Amino acid sequence: MKEELKLELDKIIETSNNNITITDENGIILRSNPQHWTMYGLETGSYIGKSVYDLEKEGILSPSINALVLKEKKIVRILQHTKLGKVIMSTGYPVFNQEGRLIRAISYSQDQTEIVKLQEQYNQLQVKIAGFQTEVEELREKDASKRPLLFRSTSMQQIFKTLPRVAVTDAAILFLGESGVGKSTLARHIHDLSGRQKEPFIEVNCSTIPETLFESAMFGYEPGSFTGALKAGKQGLIEQAAQGTLFLDEIGELPLNMQVKLLKVLQERKLMRIGGKKELHVNFRLITATNQDLKQMVDEGKFRLDLYYRLNVIPIHIPSLKERKDDITILLKHYLQLLNTKYKVSKKMHPSTYDLLIHYEWPGNVREMENLLERLILTIEDDMILPNHLPFELKKNIKEISNSSWGHVKESIEKLKLKDALEEVELEFLSRAYKQCKTTYEMAEYLGISQPTIIYKLKKYKDKLSI
């Protein structure tokens, strides 16, 4: 029977996923996995009968887990570093007889090298991500400084009369409007006008975070909450906005289960991290934005009514560019100048190109305008941006407007002599420039000629100019 038990024990030790070493009370190895010693850079062989104290002196075990168990007479867990650079996780257990005397030490060891490397890589990645987040925030701040709030339209003037009044309060603001109208720029403007301007401004695009990661991203987690979690835990985006402003863009994309949790935070001003046991008090200003009809989403059961009322305290509709054509000229000039400086070029826009872009619908709004001008700056070789440089899709959309706009001019010059026809066209351009620009300097830039020439031509045509 004893022989059978010995065979069973040997087979268990030999086939175990853990590397097992058993020593007596003097540290002499009684049993050990044959493969155990390969982790330490030694040939597979029997170390039965050798002393763990001698192996320690030789630097093979550094330190010996069994020796520590025999010394401390309790469970011990350590990380061993071998000469091969491996990291071994070892756990040792004391074995006492009926009289309470320590008679054995049993240890289990696992090669953790790859796991430790992965953890180090993960930690390095987290450091890089934190660095990237800082860089992104700095770039956003720089970008915000390059995106001045330019407008002439009456609708935008009215909005900017309202913003300072609501900025000094903590009332929830909901920006409504099409994509690309500048909702995030206005949200930051509100933050800069508020008493929280020196605190964080945390911007979250609800459409870019996977639903499975949304809760941990927003609420954070405690150490060991799930596989892959940081040992120290992590603050959520709501916590990061403490004392500052939390801007939730594309709020209509917020998952329903998260809507419930966000509502609770807004009502109680408390949150609990994933895996947490205590609630944390949070103080932040909430601004949201969407290009969707939230009321319709409520009717369809896609958005909570109670949350909708919480967010819709001060709704502000940002009109699209096609609704505020007075702003198009000044924005075109601004982005043209900004991109010329950025790419160290000096591109100019032909008046006819200005005219076409002013009549364009701009479905992508300010974002589309900036992208279009950047593409033109980078792709055309000429210094003058002409109508034929515009993308085909854009020209197709404004062809009818352009034709009707110039129809009366064409009719009026068909029967004229060259001199009179040129004057008629010149009058048309001057009239358009006068309506679009506020000063003669702007008119000169718009038409691509000098300011003295503008003054001369205004005097020349003062009796004929329709202004």
Side-chain angles (χ1 to χ4, degrees):
M1 188 67 179
K2 288 184 179 181
E3 183 64 27
E4 290 178 355
L5 287 174
K6 180 180 180 301
L7 291 173
E8 288 178 2
L9 182 58
D10 289 342
K11 182 57 68 175
I12 289 171
I13 294 174
E14 180 183 343
T15 59
S16 173
N17 290 328
N18 289 298
N19 293 292
I20 303 174
T21 299
I22 302 175
T23 62
D24 64 14
E25 67 272 25
N26 298 313
I28 303 300
I29 299 172
L30 304 177
R31 285 185 172 82
S32 180
N33 295 62
Q35 298 294 327
H36 174 70
W37 304 98
T38 60
M39 293 191 301
Y40 300 92
L42 303 173
E43 293 182 4
T44 301
S46 176
Y47 283 81
I48 306 301
K50 294 198 173 182
S51 168
V52 292
Y53 298 110
D54 292 339
L55 295 175
E56 251 188 345
K57 291 177 182 177
E58 294 173 19
I60 294 174
L61 300 178
S62 180
S64 165
I65 182 69
N66 292 64
L68 288 172
V69 172
L70 293 173
K71 178 183 178 182
E72 300 185 18
K73 299 181 180 181
K74 64 180 182 179
I75 297 173
V76 178
R77 184 175 288 109
I78 62 169
L79 279 178
Q80 295 173 307
H81 296 270
T82 72
K83 292 180 179 180
L84 296 179
K86 290 183 177 293
V87 179
I88 311 298
M89 171 67 77
S90 297
T91 306
Y93 299 86
V95 179
F96 300 93
N97 63 11
Q98 292 181 346
E99 288 77 29
R101 185 171 62 85
L102 180 63
I103 58 171
R104 297 286 186 274
I106 303 176
S107 65
Y108 303 87
S109 301
Q110 285 185 323
D111 188 346
Q112 300 285 304
T113 307
E114 292 303 317
I115 294 175
V116 170
K117 285 182 179 178
L118 287 173
Q119 183 64 50
E120 289 175 353
Q121 290 173 3
Y122 179 78
N123 291 337
Q124 290 172 3
L125 183 61
Q126 290 296 315
V127 171
K128 287 182 180 179
I129 289 173
F132 290 150
Q133 287 175 337
T134 302
E135 289 178 14
V136 167
E137 188 62 29
E138 290 174 354
L139 287 172
R140 276 181 180 159
E141 291 177 0
K142 291 178 181 178
D143 190 50
S145 67
K146 293 177 182 178
R147 293 176 183 264
L149 303 161
L150 303 171
F151 57 90
R152 283 180 180 162
S153 61
T154 304
S155 58
M156 291 301 291
Q157 288 179 18
Q158 187 58 47
I159 288 172
F160 274 84
K161 286 180 182 178
T162 304
L163 294 185
R165 293 199 298 271
V166 300
V168 295
T169 73
D170 274 345
I173 296 175
L174 174 61
F175 284 116
L176 304 166
E178 297 177 1
S179 294
V181 293
K183 298 187 288 291
S184 60
T185 301
L186 292 179
R188 183 175 282 278
H189 183 62
I190 287 283
H191 175 74
D192 292 339
L193 291 175
S194 73
R196 299 174 182 266
Q197 59 181 311
K198 294 183 180 179
E199 304 299 335
F201 176 85
I202 303 298
E203 180 176 349
V204 183
N205 189 318
C206 298
S207 66
T208 61
I209 304 177
E211 185 172 348
T212 53
L213 301 177
F214 212 101
E215 185 174 3
S216 62
M218 293 297 294
F219 289 83
Y221 54 82
E222 293 293 346
S225 300
F226 51 86
T227 304
L230 292 176
K231 289 183 178 180
K234 188 176 182 181
Q235 272 192 341
L237 293 166
I238 296 177
E239 276 187 79
Q240 291 177 34
Q243 311 306 320
T245 301
L246 177 66
F247 173 51
L248 299 181
D249 199 4
E250 305 294 351
I251 188 67
E253 300 294 332
L254 192 68
L256 275 169
N257 64 320
M258 288 303 302
Q259 292 179 26
V260 178
K261 296 188 176 185
L262 177 61
L263 179 65
K264 185 175 185 294
V265 172
L266 296 178
Q267 288 174 335
E268 301 178 3
R269 292 293 168 176
K270 297 177 183 178
L271 66 81
M272 186 179 294
R273 292 182 179 182
I274 295 175
K277 295 181 179 179
K278 65 176 182 178
E279 291 185 315
L280 305 172
H281 290 271
V282 287
N283 176 10
F284 61 92
R285 202 288 175 66
L286 180 67
I287 301 176
T288 55
T290 183
N291 59 4
Q292 301 185 58
D293 186 339
L294 291 186
K295 189 64 176 71
Q296 182 179 340
M297 291 182 67
V298 169
D299 296 338
E300 295 172 352
K302 297 178 181 178
F303 204 85
R304 292 183 61 91
L305 180 62
D306 43 9
L307 179 59
Y308 171 73
Y309 285 129
R310 279 277 178 179
L311 304 181
N312 197 40
V313 178
I314 302 178
I316 299 177
H317 175 75
I318 312 301
S320 61
L321 273 185
K322 66 183 178 183
E323 298 175 277
R324 47 185 176 106
K325 289 194 176 292
D326 290 348
D327 295 340
I328 293 178
T329 302
I330 191 171
L331 288 170
L332 284 170
K333 291 176 181 177
H334 164 68
Y335 285 118
L336 184 63
Q337 180 181 358
L338 186 69
L339 292 165
N340 272 328
T341 302
K342 178 179 179 179
Y343 295 111
K344 299 179 181 179
V345 293
S346 55
K347 307 283 185 182
K348 294 183 179 179
M349 191 176 293
H350 194 274
S352 56
T353 310
Y354 262 120
D355 189 66
L356 289 173
L357 295 181
I358 287 167
H359 288 90
Y360 179 51
E361 292 291 310
W362 295 110
N365 294 292
V366 180
R367 189 179 296 122
E368 181 187 7
M369 177 186 290
E370 185 177 5
N371 291 343
L372 171 66
L373 291 178
E374 187 162 22
R375 186 199 315 176
L376 293 172
I377 290 286
L378 293 174
T379 58
I380 67 170
E381 296 180 0
D382 300 333
D383 288 335
M384 182 68 70
I385 302 173
L386 301 171
N388 63 289
H389 291 135
L390 298 177
F392 172 76
E393 297 81 3
L394 187 146
K395 288 188 288 187
K396 182 175 67 175
N397 289 336
I398 57 181
K399 185 176 181 181
E400 293 181 4
I401 298 173
S402 177
N403 287 340
S404 62
S405 174
W406 280 91
H408 72 283
V409 179
K410 290 178 181 178
E411 290 177 7
S412 65
I413 66 175
E414 280 179 353
K415 298 179 182 180
L416 296 178
K417 293 181 180 179
L418 178 61
K419 180 175 178 296
D420 296 329
L422 289 173
E423 286 189 355
E424 190 72 23
V425 174
E426 200 167 51
L427 276 168
E428 175 65 22
F429 274 103
L430 281 171
S431 179
R432 286 168 180 265
Y434 189 87
K435 291 176 182 177
Q436 294 294 334
C437 305
K438 288 188 173 182
T439 67
T440 54
Y441 289 99
E442 288 186 13
M443 288 179 67
E445 185 180 355
Y446 178 82
L447 294 174
I449 58 179
S450 67
Q451 191 257 358
T453 303
I454 287 290
I455 295 175
Y456 166 75
K457 291 188 179 296
L458 287 175
K459 290 180 180 179
K460 176 182 176 181
Y461 295 114
K462 65 179 181 180
D463 295 330
K464 297 180 180 180
L465 200 57
S466 55
I467 56 179

